[in-house]
Amino acid sequence: QVQLVESGGGLVQPGGSLKLSCAASRSIFEIVAMGWYRQAPGKQRELVAGITSGGRINYRDFVKGRFTISRDNTKNTVYLQMDSLKPEDTAVYYCNADDPFGHRFWGQGTQVTVSS
């Protein structure tokens, strides 16, 4: 079974940077994609960025030019470099991983707070 371990959240001032990481445990099933979602209070969980094992990347418009997703396939680890952070980026950020059978796995979530 896939287990995801996240790190890197915290409190940062507007305009600052954070880097999130998510490591997937070894699984009998191949991981075909990993990504980051976020959920703010009173809002639905939304995709931030995703990346496949082949390097195909998808960004939501509100983070293009500010966030960068990358993946180390040898370690089954995905990263999210967040620059030029805004208060509206404040949310709980969740790592996810998808297997070839349509299963989705989630990390525990890490809080990102952007405030002066």
Side-chain angles (χ1 to χ4, degrees):
Q1 189 77 5
V2 175
Q3 295 181 341
L4 305 176
V5 180
E6 300 163 314
S7 63
L11 174 64
V12 66
Q13 296 184 58
S17 298
L18 287 172
K19 186 174 183 178
L20 308 182
S21 64
C22 173
S25 65
R26 181 181 297 274
S27 175
I28 192 171
F29 303 114
E30 180 183 3
I31 298 172
V32 298
M34 299 184 73
W36 292 95
Y37 289 70
R38 70 186 187 186
Q39 187 168 20
K43 297 184 178 180
Q44 292 186 318
R45 186 174 299 185
E46 62 182 355
L47 174 70
V48 177
I51 185 169
T52 70
S53 60
R56 185 181 181 91
I57 295 173
N58 179 39
Y59 292 108
R60 295 294 299 276
D61 287 343
F62 56 81
V63 301
K64 286 182 178 178
R66 300 190 298 122
F67 293 7
T68 303
I69 189 170
S70 61
R71 180 176 178 178
D72 183 343
N73 288 335
T74 65
K75 300 181 182 296
N76 285 325
T77 300
V78 65
Y79 306 93
L80 186 68
Q81 177 67 48
M82 303 184 292
D83 299 317
S84 302
L85 283 162
K86 304 175 181 179
E88 53 262 42
D89 295 318
T90 296
V92 177
Y93 284 70
Y94 296 91
C95 176
N96 93 282
D98 301 335
D99 73 13
F101 304 98
H103 301 129
R104 309 203 77 185
F105 305 90
W106 298 94
Q108 78 284 358
T110 184
Q111 178 71 47
V112 172
T113 302
V114 185
S115 176
S116 298

